[in-house]
Amino acid sequence: MKRLKTERDSEPDDSLEKSMAQVASALSDPSRVSILCALMDGRAWTATELSAVADIAASTTSGHLSRLLSNGLIICLTQGRHRYYSLAGHHIAGLLENLMGISMHTFKSPVPRTPAYLRYARTCYDHLAGELAVNIYEFMLQDKWLEADGTALTPDGKSHFQNLGAVLNSRPRRKSCCPCLDWSERRFHLGGDAGSALMTLFLQKEWVARTPGYREVNVTDRGRTALRRLFSLD
């Protein structure tokens, strides 16, 4: 599988202001936003699958994908005759999560319109988000798994991760641990390499199950028992 180059790869001299405006413009179309939100599940999708999600014609989808590619928001991977699209990285997922939070902001008390099943548990690229993830993060802070600002695991936290079997990358290419603002809960959940390691563990142990094609995550009976024991969750 090889990655296709984007226009951004070959145009390093664009000014910061121009680049920011181009990215903002790429995000200004509802169909392109639908495509990006679908890719928030962390997996690679075909153009046909994305056209169905965005409810647009295949020819229109091609143009939207080209626009997103040229602005570095997604990448295209080729495998044989097939092409798969995914977000360009966790930083793009973070951008989208923050944009969702800003878009829902109101000066009145917000009334959540996000479906209950998504508010409870969903994927945020490669880590867990929603009410469940926020509660786990709060437990980790209170139980001193995390430093007070959430930017690093404490020695006890690293020990807990090791005992759980959550494998941390010794040389992560991104932040090893960070608070990620949850757009539906308006509080933080665990992001970075630690958040990814925890999500991987939950999937491997079948404590949670992903819904194919969606960001929704379901907690299994085994998972409810384990999460209650480990994180004092009701």
Side-chain angles (χ1 to χ4, degrees), residues 143-163:
D143 211 46
K144 310 300 183 185
W145 290 35
L146 299 171
E147 299 291 350
D149 60 2
T151 59
L153 289 169
T154 62
D156 281 347
K158 291 179 180 178
S159 178
H160 283 305
F161 264 61
Q162 184 176 8
N163 291 336

Side-chain angles (χ1 to χ4, degrees), residues 49-233:
E49 291 169 333
L50 292 170
S51 66
V53 167
D55 195 24
I56 53 178
S59 57
T60 305
T61 303
S62 178
H64 286 315
L65 290 173
S66 294
R67 184 74 174 274
L68 295 172
L69 275 167
S70 66
N71 283 280
L73 295 170
I74 65 173
I75 58 174
C76 180
L77 303 171
T78 61
Q79 188 169 19
R81 295 179 299 171
H82 302 286
R83 291 187 176 187
Y84 297 90
Y85 299 88
S86 63
L87 291 184
H90 58 89
H91 59 296
I92 302 300
L95 170 66
L96 295 173
E97 280 280 331
N98 288 335
L99 183 58
M100 289 173 184
I102 293 170
S103 300
M104 292 180 67
H105 178 73
T106 174
F107 292 103
K108 299 179 181 179
S109 297
V111 178
R113 289 180 290 176
T114 310
Y117 60 87
L118 279 180
R119 289 205 306 272
Y120 180 66
R122 64 181 183 274
T123 54
C124 176
Y125 192 54
D126 61 356
H127 58 270
L128 189 66
E131 179 185 350
L132 176 62
V134 166
N135 288 337
I136 290 174
Y137 182 82
E138 288 295 328
F139 172 87
M140 288 182 171
L141 279 177
Q142 293 174 11
D143 211 46
K144 310 300 183 185
W145 290 35
L146 299 171
E147 299 291 350
D149 60 2
T151 59
L153 289 169
T154 62
D156 281 347
K158 291 179 180 178
S159 178
H160 283 305
F161 264 61
Q162 184 176 8
N163 291 336
L164 284 174
V167 180
L168 297 169
N169 191 336
S170 60
R171 294 183 177 180
R173 298 179 61 184
R174 54 170 161 169
K175 292 180 179 178
S176 60
C177 181
C178 67
C180 183
L181 183 62
D182 197 284
W183 68 270
S184 62
E185 293 300 307
R186 312 300 177 87
R187 293 182 290 158
F188 292 112
H189 60 249
L190 183 65
D193 181 63
S196 176
L198 201 64
M199 180 64 174
T200 299
L201 175 75
F202 287 1
L203 290 169
Q204 288 175 343
K205 288 187 174 292
E206 298 183 350
W207 292 349
V208 300
R210 305 177 76 162
T211 301
Y214 297 91
R215 295 179 65 193
E216 177 186 353
V217 171
N218 296 307
V219 181
T220 64
D221 290 339
R222 180 190 305 179
R224 276 188 284 272
T225 300
L227 297 178
R228 185 184 303 116
R229 173 174 54 85
L230 292 169
F231 304 111
S232 301
L233 299 179

